[in-house]
């Protein structure tokens, strides 16, 4: 399992593509890559990452993290989100896809 959070945000396309390649090299057969992404207005800036990772994963799912706001302590108002801006991306690699 490869876990990533706050690593995709307005980077140069070459850096975003290198991140996807690094995740691929760290992953093993039947691996899962978890990435939390927060939409901040211009997802097009981050699109090179999502295009690059899509080339080597077998499948993916997304989960909105907004429904979990109620689990945060009331003192955490600064990290609450009112809309679906935080998403967990779950990428699954096919067996032997890292060869």
């Amino acid at each position: 399992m490869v876990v990533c959070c706050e690593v995709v945000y307005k980077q140069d396309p070459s850096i975003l593509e290198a991140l996807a390649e690094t995740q691929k090299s760290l992953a093993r057969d039947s691996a899962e890559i978890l990435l939390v992404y927060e939409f901040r207005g211009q997802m097009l800036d981050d699109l090179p990452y999502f295009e690059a990772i899509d080339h080597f994963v077998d499948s993916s799912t997304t989960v909105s993290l907004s429904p979990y706001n109620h689990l945060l302590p009331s003192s955490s108002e600064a990290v609450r989100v009112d809309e679906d801006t935080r998403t967990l991306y779950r990428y699954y690699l096919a067996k032997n896809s890292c060869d």
Side-chain angles (χ1 to χ4, degrees), residues 4-64:
C4 307
C5 185
E6 295 295 326
V7 294
V8 177
Y9 182 62
K10 292 188 178 188
Q11 296 292 332
D12 185 79
S14 64
I15 292 173
L16 295 172
E17 292 164 2
L19 172 62
E21 278 296 319
T22 300
Q23 291 170 333
K24 177 183 176 183
S25 69
L26 291 172
R28 300 288 182 250
D29 286 351
S30 303
E32 183 176 348
I33 297 171
L34 301 177
L35 176 106
V36 175
Y37 179 79
E38 182 174 354
F39 177 73
R40 293 183 175 109
Q42 286 294 330
M43 188 173 183
L44 289 178
D45 293 337
D46 303 326
L47 196 57
Y49 167 79
F50 293 101
E51 290 175 337
I53 197 164
D54 280 345
H55 286 127
F56 70 84
V57 297
D58 185 50
S59 62
S60 64
T61 60
T62 59
V63 178
S64 171

